[in-house]
Amino acid sequence: MKNRLSKIINPRDGKTVMLAVDHGYFMGPTTGLENIKTMVDPLLKYADTLMITRGGLRNYISPETKIPIVLRVSGGTSILNTENLLHEGIAVDIEDAIRLNVSGVAFSILVGQPFERDTILGMTEYIDECQRYGIPVLAVTAVGRGLGKDVKYLSLASRMAAEFGAHIVKTYYCPGFEKIVETCPVPIVIAGGKKQPEKDALQMAYDAIQAGACGVDMGRNIFQSSSPVGMMKAVNSIVHKKHNPKEAYEIFNNYKK
């Protein structure tokens, strides 16, 4: 378990840059990920780990690639099913995750919806399986519609995930993020969320690190950027090199040129 965690979170500084390209499991061929290999290959040198589905891994990523994998193992609904979006269950057997030699797995829970029990119990079942084999679980937390990115609800979901046994928690950045970090006993990474201007995304990453996050797990703000490599380098500089948003944005702009 410690060995796998050290592949996800860099032990030199306790930080991580995760590249999320698992969106196809509910969004299909979203913009920027029509061909995962073409997009991902130039970005991997700036990432600590890659979050991807098993189909994406088998079809797009060379087995010789040394990037540690966090495998998406929950699913069950598509972006078309708006009433039950993220009503997820186990979608990948633990034995297949082991065959794929993953460093960790990702499982989504949704707190504040009538079906929250299903997602939470699905996650705990998978945590039990992973404990037998020393595989860390990243809990991807979200809250029900109408609750918004509120520290009250995000800290609730994050703490619940940790209490149920998750080894890392992924949640959204929000005002008062320090409270989420202080009340969650396991490392927290922030989700990039929907595409926003590069300067805003870099500011969010910086603010999260300053508030105590151990890293970021970005997807659309990387692969939908006007310069995915430049943005990846800029995010990496904030997380691992302690650059401020202005310095990081200069890296992004210089790469664009």
Side-chain angles (χ1 to χ4, degrees), residues 8-230:
I8 299 171
I9 300 175
N10 193 319
R12 289 179 293 181
D13 58 7
K15 298 290 191 294
T16 184
V17 176
M18 304 179 71
L19 175 60
V21 293
D22 59 328
H23 302 67
Y25 87 97
F26 75 105
M27 295 178 70
T30 189
T31 302
L33 290 184
E34 293 87 353
N35 185 307
I36 294 177
K37 180 177 177 58
T38 301
M39 174 56 69
V40 162
D41 281 357
L43 304 176
L44 292 181
K45 67 174 72 174
Y46 308 109
D48 294 298
T49 187
L50 180 67
M51 185 167 160
I52 193 169
T53 63
R54 62 175 167 184
L57 182 60
R58 286 193 166 109
N59 291 302
Y60 291 106
I61 307 300
S62 168
E64 285 78 28
T65 303
K66 296 186 181 299
I67 188 78
I69 299 298
V70 173
L71 188 72
R72 163 64 67 174
V73 295
S74 66
T77 59
S78 79
I79 197 171
L80 301 179
N81 191 349
T82 55
E83 292 301 315
N84 291 291
L85 187 63
L86 295 182
H87 187 175
E88 297 186 3
I90 296 171
V92 179
D93 187 84
I94 186 65
E95 290 187 2
D96 209 18
I98 293 169
R99 274 190 289 270
L100 289 167
N101 195 34
V102 302
S103 295
V105 300
F107 201 109
S108 286
I109 62 171
L110 184 58
V111 173
Q113 284 283 75
F115 55 76
E116 68 176 6
R117 181 177 185 272
D118 296 344
T119 64
I120 291 169
L121 291 184
M123 180 191 69
T124 58
E125 182 179 341
Y126 216 89
I127 288 172
D128 287 341
E129 290 291 325
C130 286
Q131 284 294 128
R132 294 187 179 98
Y133 303 103
I135 299 175
V137 176
L138 168 71
V140 183
T141 64
V143 296
R145 187 180 305 157
L147 300 180
K149 295 177 183 178
D150 188 298
V151 65
K152 175 180 179 181
Y153 303 114
L154 293 177
S155 61
L156 167 68
S158 299
R159 178 61 175 263
M160 287 178 66
E163 294 271 359
F164 279 114
H167 306 89
I168 307 171
V169 167
K170 175 180 174 179
T171 195
Y172 290 100
Y173 178 76
C174 66
F177 191 79
E178 294 86 353
K179 179 184 176 183
I180 300 176
V181 174
E182 291 167 359
T183 58
C184 183
V186 301
I188 292 182
V189 297
I190 64 155
K194 294 180 180 179
K195 176 69 174 71
Q196 55 184 314
E198 282 80 2
K199 185 177 290 186
D200 295 340
L202 293 172
Q203 183 69 55
M204 179 181 69
Y206 176 81
D207 291 343
I209 295 298
Q210 295 304 302
C214 81
V216 302
D217 186 14
M218 280 194 175
R220 283 169 285 184
N221 280 295
I222 301 291
F223 60 74
Q224 290 180 351
S225 169
S226 58
S227 174
V229 175

Side-chain angles (χ1 to χ4, degrees), residues 230-248:
M231 191 60 177
M232 195 74 198
K233 290 180 69 174
V235 170
N236 183 289
S237 76
I238 286 175
V239 175
H240 287 304
K241 299 178 182 177
K242 300 182 180 180
H243 286 183
N244 61 41
K246 182 179 179 181
E247 293 169 327

